[in-house]
Amino acid sequence: MPTDVAAASDPRHFLEIDDLSTAELETVLDRAAAYKRAQQGGESHADLAGQTLGMIFQKPSTRTRVSFETGMTQLGGHAVFLGEDDIQLGRGEPLKDTSRTLSRYVDAVMARVFKHENIEVLAEYSSVPIVNGLTDDAHPCQTLADLLTIREQEGEFDGVSVAWIGDGNNVAQSFTVGAALTDIDLTVATPEGYGIDDDVLDRARDLGGDPTVTHDPVDAATDADVIYTDVWISMGQEDERDVRMNDFEGFQVRSGLLEHAPDASVMHCLPAHRGEEITDAVIESDRSVVFDQAENRLHAQKALLSWLLAE
């Protein structure tokens, strides 16, 4: 039975991708691949039978909600959706009170929130694992799916080159650190003023990574094995639309850009704004692994939950 007595529980949290060591990351990815094979083969894998995941959503989502909820069902457990207006959090209850209360009810909590400090508060006061389903600063669950997808496409990480084209947002920041954990050769191309935070680059370098930073999308894409992009205008940035559309001119992933990387797969974490950061032709092309990547959210998150709760 979950308890909020810190001395009785020392949960493992997953707030950033580098909360996993390289060895632990490999374990989770191997388990994700095994779960994917099991599902495709119609094999039961109810490793979390009787366990419950609480899911806090301040930001709406398609992939995060459905993949976690379906994942818990396939693992034999149960997930409870907790929208901000469905619980007292939306009426001013302190996060620490929500966290300690949920620790009495559920076996883990996934939270998709705005401020990164909010996920940190949830973890500080929780005696069950807290999983970062997305914050304004990081999206580590997406990185797990990204790395699983790249490993499927390339067979390994060693020698793989990835070009990130576009905004240095939360997805890019987590991926930058994930690339360092796996020795992926990463080049990030963003407009000036939209780059990866310096502290994230420092974390990546401390892990042995050496991300290249440029403002030239063609230079980044040339001979890459994978080209990855995301929206230019994230939730909460709608009032910046006109400025961003002007600043990101030339950073669209289109057929012309792919000519510089003739063997590259194309990734996008979705939702895509077709015609903005990526063309419809590219996302629908045989170069796109976007929907394999989306599916892998399910398998990677099952593996993460199993690793957090079943060991």
Side-chain angles (χ1 to χ4, degrees):
M1 173 67 68
T3 173
D4 67 359
V5 180
S9 177
D10 186 18
R12 293 185 288 194
H13 301 303
F14 184 66
L15 310 187
E16 301 270 10
I17 189 65
D18 49 337
D19 284 340
L20 300 175
S21 67
T22 296
E24 290 168 337
L25 177 57
E26 183 176 355
T27 295
V28 171
L29 293 177
D30 286 346
R31 187 171 300 187
Y35 278 143
K36 188 171 186 175
R37 290 192 298 271
Q39 181 177 327
Q40 291 172 339
E43 302 171 17
S44 175
H45 44 283
D47 296 336
L48 298 182
Q51 299 202 49
T52 299
L53 174 70
M55 305 189 303
I56 297 174
F57 282 85
Q58 289 184 325
K59 288 186 174 186
S61 171
T62 299
R63 280 148 291 275
T64 298
R65 177 177 179 178
V66 177
S67 58
F68 269 108
E69 192 163 339
T70 301
M72 279 300 290
T73 299
Q74 293 179 356
L75 290 168
H78 178 64
V80 179
F81 176 82
L82 303 168
E84 187 173 30
D85 293 332
D86 298 325
I87 57 177
Q88 293 301 322
L89 184 63
R91 300 176 179 86
E93 181 175 57
L95 276 169
K96 61 183 180 180
D97 290 359
T98 297
S99 184
R100 286 184 289 198
T101 300
L102 289 178
S103 293
R104 297 278 184 130
Y105 299 149
V106 303
D107 299 281
V109 174
M110 184 281 297
R112 184 177 171 92
V113 297
F114 286 93
K115 296 180 180 179
H116 193 77
E117 64 189 54
N118 288 347
I119 202 84
E120 294 174 332
V121 170
L122 286 169
E124 180 181 357
Y125 288 93
S126 177
S127 58
V128 300
I130 301 292
V131 174
N132 180 359
L134 176 140
T135 68
D136 286 343
D137 294 343
H139 199 351
C141 287
Q142 181 63 55
T143 300
L144 289 178
D146 298 341
L147 295 174
L148 180 61
T149 305
I150 290 170
R151 196 173 73 169
E152 288 176 346
Q153 293 296 312
E154 302 295 330
E156 58 183 354
F157 295 120
D158 188 36
V160 174
S161 60
V162 178
W164 176 275
I165 310 293
D167 190 19
N169 61 13
N170 49 2
V171 176
Q173 299 207 140
S174 287
F175 186 81
T176 296
V177 179
L181 283 167
T182 51
D183 292 327
I184 286 172
D185 180 11
L186 176 65
T187 300
V188 178
T190 70
E192 291 190 31
Y194 294 94
I196 304 295
D197 289 348
D198 287 342
D199 66 315
V200 173
L201 293 172
D202 289 343
R203 279 168 51 208
R205 290 167 181 143
D206 287 345
L207 290 167
D210 188 23
T212 300
V213 176
T214 180
H215 303 303
D216 185 341
V218 172
D219 182 56
T222 298
D223 295 328
D225 297 306
V226 178
I227 293 176
Y228 193 175
T229 192
D230 191 13
V231 296
W232 297 338
I233 304 157
S234 299
M235 281 181 285
Q237 297 174 337
E238 290 81 4
D239 59 344
E240 302 174 24
R241 178 177 179 80
D242 290 345
V243 172
R244 284 176 170 265
M245 289 297 292
N246 180 69
D247 290 348
F248 282 87
E249 185 176 355
F251 283 81
Q252 184 184 71
V253 175
R254 62 193 188 281
S255 298
L257 184 67
L258 297 190
E259 292 176 1
H260 299 277
D263 298 319
S265 301
V266 176
M267 293 172 52
H268 191 303
C269 67
L270 299 179
H273 294 168
R274 297 178 184 226
E276 292 183 9
E277 76 279 355
I278 192 168
T279 63
D280 188 78
V282 168
I283 207 168
E284 294 292 348
S285 74
D286 59 5
R287 306 279 292 276
S288 170
V289 294
V290 167
F291 296 101
D292 294 324
Q293 182 186 0
E295 178 189 345
N296 283 339
R297 288 288 302 275
L298 172 65
H299 308 301
Q301 286 159 188
K302 286 194 294 187
L304 174 66
L305 291 169
S306 172
W307 183 79
L308 290 170
L309 294 172
E311 294 187 356

